Amino acid sequence: MDELDGEWDEVFAGLEEDWQVIESVLPRGWEEAARQTGALIRTRGFESAAALLRVLLIHLVEGCSLRETAVRARAGGLASVSDVALLGRLRGSGEWFRWMVEQMSRRLSEASAEVLPGKRVRLADATVVCEPGATGSTWRLHYVIDLRTLACEQVQVTLPDEGETLTRFTVHAGDVLMADRGLAHRRGIRHVVGHGGDVVVRMNLVSVPLEDAKGREFRLLPQLRKLRIGHARDWPAVMCDEHGSLAVRVCALKKSAEQTRSAQEKLRQIAVRKGRTLQPDTLEAAGYVVVLTTLPDVAAELILEVYRYRWQIELAFKRLKSLLHLGHLKKTDPVGAKAWLQGKLFVATLIETLIAVGERFSPWGYFLREGRGPAVPMA
């Protein structure tokens, strides 16, 4: 127990020291928003929104179990609640996290610009997560995130053998769903278009069979070989299924020699690990970024730029998996999973904001509290 107390003292001391810096980058009105969004309707167990957020950060950042988080919160004088009550608080904080992410993203103006004017661009993806411990269950998390605000809008938790598909998600007119190869299938694309949306999806040589205007097989590799580094091109094509034909465009860019070698080496390693034979065409196609879209009037360069944003978010999630324990899902109900994932997105946005403030906005590494003087005492 002494060892746990000593570990907590160290963690709490660091959190206490940095809390004013963290609080200085939170959006104006964040405490009132806790009440308006239902995260802190009653203060039972928590004296304030600040206490609630600090306790939830122990869980989200440190990766502690809810039971351990409750113990640390009590030891640090932040709150006296059970792990069951803490789970209830987390489940009720998803909208609060979403609101703070949106406000913080707007404060950093780069994140608030529309990527495609008049369209709502959303990232659809899936990741395998597991509960910690030797007997922890494995689940597949399917989610949709707003690209502009990084708000988690939809989430489903399924068994790992349930496949990835765009048909899982609700689509509205004007939506543009971006996705990687795992979600690039005709049925899912048809689902999005049928509900008034569009897609921008990564594709390979076989994931989405295509035809040309004359009904012949659309042969992708001969077209890709004409590309030069730094020049994007697109070609019209037709996707056919049981519902008829659908006009699409294939946009592509040639990778640099270094990127090509890296992608090909990764394919070779996967082939060896899975005992598969790597086809020459697959190896050659690794030298290109190929994206399929149903957007008719957007330049190929912009389509590929939009997809680059999706890749940046995927990289951010990979960092989260290693740094913030995103690979350990502790809630298997949809409400709890969505709140937990939104909390992770909040932590990621908080980190990005602190970095941006330190590197671009403020030489001292935090915002001044408007009208209240420095957020942190100046030496």
Side-chain angles (χ1 to χ4, degrees), residues 111-133:
S112 64
E114 280 190 315
V115 179
L116 292 173
K119 299 288 187 180
R120 294 185 298 270
V121 183
R122 282 148 169 73
L123 164 67
D125 209 343
T127 186
V128 173
V129 293
C130 60
E131 297 177 84

Side-chain angles (χ1 to χ4, degrees), residues 131-178:
E131 297 177 84
T135 60
S137 302
T138 300
W139 306 87
R140 190 181 297 276
L141 191 68
H142 311 261
Y143 55 89
V144 170
I145 295 174
D146 186 298
L147 181 63
R148 184 176 64 89
T149 64
L150 295 186
C152 179
E153 296 187 331
Q154 300 179 50
V155 65
Q156 292 185 27
V157 182
T158 68
L159 294 174
D161 56 354
E162 295 192 36
E164 303 175 32
T165 172
L166 292 174
T167 60
R168 293 187 180 278
F169 305 118
T170 301
V171 181
H172 301 286
D175 286 351
V176 177
L177 266 67
M178 289 198 299

Side-chain angles (χ1 to χ4, degrees), residues 197-270:
D198 286 289
V199 300
V200 176
V201 294
R202 187 82 176 265
M203 63 175 290
N204 56 32
L205 298 179
V206 298
S207 59
V208 184
L210 298 175
E211 298 177 358
D212 63 19
K214 297 182 179 181
R216 300 172 300 192
E217 177 188 359
F218 179 80
R219 300 182 62 219
L220 182 57
L221 269 180
Q223 304 294 341
L224 296 178
R225 292 174 184 139
K226 302 174 185 178
L227 290 174
R228 293 179 296 159
I229 291 178
H231 294 271
R233 284 197 57 184
D234 64 321
W235 301 271
V238 178
M239 185 191 83
C240 296
D241 59 12
E242 65 271 21
H243 300 288
S245 60
L246 179 66
V248 299
R249 292 163 57 218
V250 178
C251 305
L253 189 70
K254 187 175 183 179
K255 296 180 182 178
S256 68
E258 181 180 353
Q259 290 173 324
T260 298
R261 284 192 295 269
S262 176
Q264 291 175 339
E265 180 58 30
K266 186 177 297 184
L267 285 176
R268 292 188 182 97
Q269 292 174 1
I270 294 174

Side-chain angles (χ1 to χ4, degrees), residues 62-97:
E62 292 292 323
C64 302
S65 67
L66 290 170
R67 181 170 297 178
E68 184 180 356
T69 299
V71 170
R72 292 189 175 198
R74 189 177 302 110
L78 291 174
S80 180
V81 293
S82 68
D83 56 334
V84 175
L86 190 55
L87 174 59
R89 291 290 188 174
L90 176 65
R91 294 179 83 250
S93 296
E95 178 61 18
W96 186 32
F97 287 136

